[in-house]
Amino acid sequence: MTQTDRDPLSLEERASLTSGRDTWHTEEVRDVPAITLADGPHGVRRQRKGSGDALGLTDSVPATCFPPAVALGSSWDADLARRVGAALAREASALGADVLLGPGVNIKRSPLCGRNFEYFSEDPHVSGVMGAALVAGIQSRGIGACVKHFAVNNQETDRMRISADVDEQTLREIYLPAFEHIVRTAAPSMVMCSYNKINGVYASENHWLLTEVLRGEWGFEGAVVSDWGAVNDRAAALAAGLDLEMPPTRTDHEIVAAVRAGRLDEDAVTRAADRVLALAGRVRDAERFDGWDVDEHHELAREAARGSIVLLKNDGVLPLEDPGRVAVVGELARTPRYQGHGSSHVVPTRLDGAWDALRERTGATFAAGYRLDGEPDASLAAEAVTAASAADVAVVFLGLPDQAESEGFDRTSIDLPAVQTDLLRRVAGVCPRVVVVLANGGVVSVAEWQDAAGAVLEGWLPGQAGGSAIADILTGAHSPSGRLTETIPNRLADVPSHLHFPGADGRVVYGEGRFVGYRYYDTLGRDVAYPFGHGLSYTRFEYSDLDARETGRNEWAVEVTVTNAGDRTAHEVVQLYVAFDEELPTRPRHELRGFAKIELAPGERSRVRFALTGRDVAQWSPARGDWRVDAGAFTVEVGASSRDIRLRAELATPGDGHVAALGRMSTLGEWLDHPVGSRVLKSRLRGADGFTSGGSPALLALARGIPLAKFSTFGIGLSGDVVDELVAAVRSES
Ligand code: BGC
């Protein structure tokens, strides 16, 4: 029995537990230890003692910088994410942290979002599965994970005030499911609410979000912490379901006063304090580690980077197995970009540059070619062109400047610096074989320049071991196995949210609704540079023997055989989409519902299995406030990207059995389609049969759209009383 069990905490003590002691710790109350929190998400950012403010972002103790989420997500490898999570937890523990502030699972609504490098995908399924795996890994060692930023924080512009105005169906189908999946399957210790408002209400004060949905519907049992400084009205936040304000605003006395004045329910304070207490109890019991094997974690960071690199295009120049003379061009090969700026910035334990790794393996020469600040430098460019002209193959490293991607602001363009693309054209003019390696967190446009390269490798921001991982892929020591979790558009103007991003006057309207990323491009058949799910390999995979069958009511099993038909061991990411073919689309044409990353030796085959449930074919019904499954056919698609579907099978769902209640304002069509309604209508309304079957098709189509109550105005004898009788009859017979 603890001291606090014997002698209940006073209101003052409980209030103090709901706000931190300082930037990184909760309050210590009696024998309740303080909880230490640290960023997150791709490495432990434990600020040095004395640099306790939230802005001392780059002054932290060295820790392994694993690939940021943009890269880890592109691995589509949940097991890898779990192992990275476990390694992160070990480091967090060794550095004295109890909770790691990650993962971030916000949806990439626009490529411009400055923090896209910290997020997994434009797709909620990938985000949810990868996020849950990371949480499971972190928590496997007793360290708490904190999923962020809940919710609808999809831009940095005006992030502390903006209202994300988004309809509920879009929220439920796009912006909330990753959080939902993680909460339901991985039980994170904490959820961090975002800065922004959702439909006019701050996330930190949003009762619907923090209490009704998060706890009521999804069963979250951990603690909700504010993003750093996201609380505006602490009493309102506690009432809404926020448990911990970070960093503290030293307003505990106001909370006590609000309770005493009857403005805040004391239970809200008690509930929040209890959740912080429960978390403190859990982390107190966690196993502690003294340190970690720096080499081993670096190797894991390299494996993770390797698994996430995406080969966008290859005319055969890669792999560089017997390349002849290789010229490495581009300052980014020597001064790597491997993470973005902001609170996730980690001081790495070591750093691999691609140039060093390539020199060792291929004897390559090097020319910087351009300055990282984007200023033109004619002599650097000329040197690089000379080096390339003497080479059999030029590997040109291009990417966004270091200062382009950060928390706190968004990009305004997706183009690479002109000095880099100009240099690429000149190199391509003198060297017959050109490979481009990209370094960027948010996607960059490739359409303008990619014809100058025989191969393009998307290296992302790959963490501290990225340089050697890139060399592993370029030289063919490993086959590329990353896949895009975000569409690369041809132009920024093609992005579905383009006209609605980043909003103005404090509001950003999510006008594209559910049609985010491939859900838009594939529904409308728009050209893209590279589709969602895309990524090449050095081998070839064949898909065969698709079997899709019903296993229960609204349950299906899908199996497919995948064979490595090439001559080297490699990974494939098998993707499962559920598709709805509609003449006029009312929903995304298809949506990812499963994926599996498998490794196959040459000639090896594997049977990959997926399970689908009613939720996978459901849509959110705002009218019912629930998921709705309509009876009908659907297609399962299995393939290697959203545009490379190899096999299809038809299935059908009986629906969810829900029959909408009929009323006066239900249309004639709704009455006729209703099992009881059509009988009642036809039996009570003489002539209804003739009207519905004998009339002209155009007239019937017209009439079907008219609410029953409106027929009285058309003088066809359907008075208000008759409509009332019909409604009463259908209700009594249903
Ligand atoms: C970021 C969070 C981060 C927190 C603490 C905030 O500015 O949005 O992601 O965990 O700071 O550094």
Side-chain angles (χ1 to χ4, degrees), residues 43 54 81 161:
R161 301 181 306 182

Side-chain angles (χ1 to χ4, degrees), residues 213-228:
V213 174
L214 179 64
R215 295 185 188 282
E217 292 181 26
W218 304 345
F220 178 62
E221 289 183 346
V224 177
V225 62
S226 69
D227 198 344
W228 267 228

Side-chain angles (χ1 to χ4, degrees), residues 17 26-29 31-36 98-99 142 189-190 223 273-286 288:
L17 277 171
T26 61
E27 279 288 5
E28 228 174 291
V29 173
D31 62 343
V32 181
I35 304 165
T36 304
D98 304 308
V99 174
S189 298
M190 297 189 102
D274 282 349
R275 289 176 191 140
V276 177
L277 277 175
L279 181 60
R282 272 206 303 281
V283 301
R284 178 172 38 198
D285 296 340
R288 301 307 318 189

Side-chain angles (χ1 to χ4, degrees), residues 23-24 38-41 45 47 54 57 101-102 115 118-119 148-149 153 156 159-160 192 195 226-229 342-344 407:
T23 310
W24 302 114
D39 281 312
R45 185 172 72 86
Q47 282 190 204
L57 296 177
L101 300 175
R115 259 183 127 166
E118 280 190 69
Y119 302 141
K148 64 192 190 181
H149 307 89
N153 177 187
E156 293 299 285
R159 67 172 168 160
M160 297 194 177
M192 182 190 290
Y195 288 117
S226 69
D227 198 344
W228 267 228
S343 60
S344 68
E407 176 177 341

Side-chain angles (χ1 to χ4, degrees), residues 1-13:
M1 177 181 273
T2 66
Q3 197 185 338
T4 45
D5 288 333
R6 287 192 300 271
D7 181 10
L9 296 175
S10 67
L11 175 59
E12 284 76 3
E13 287 172 316

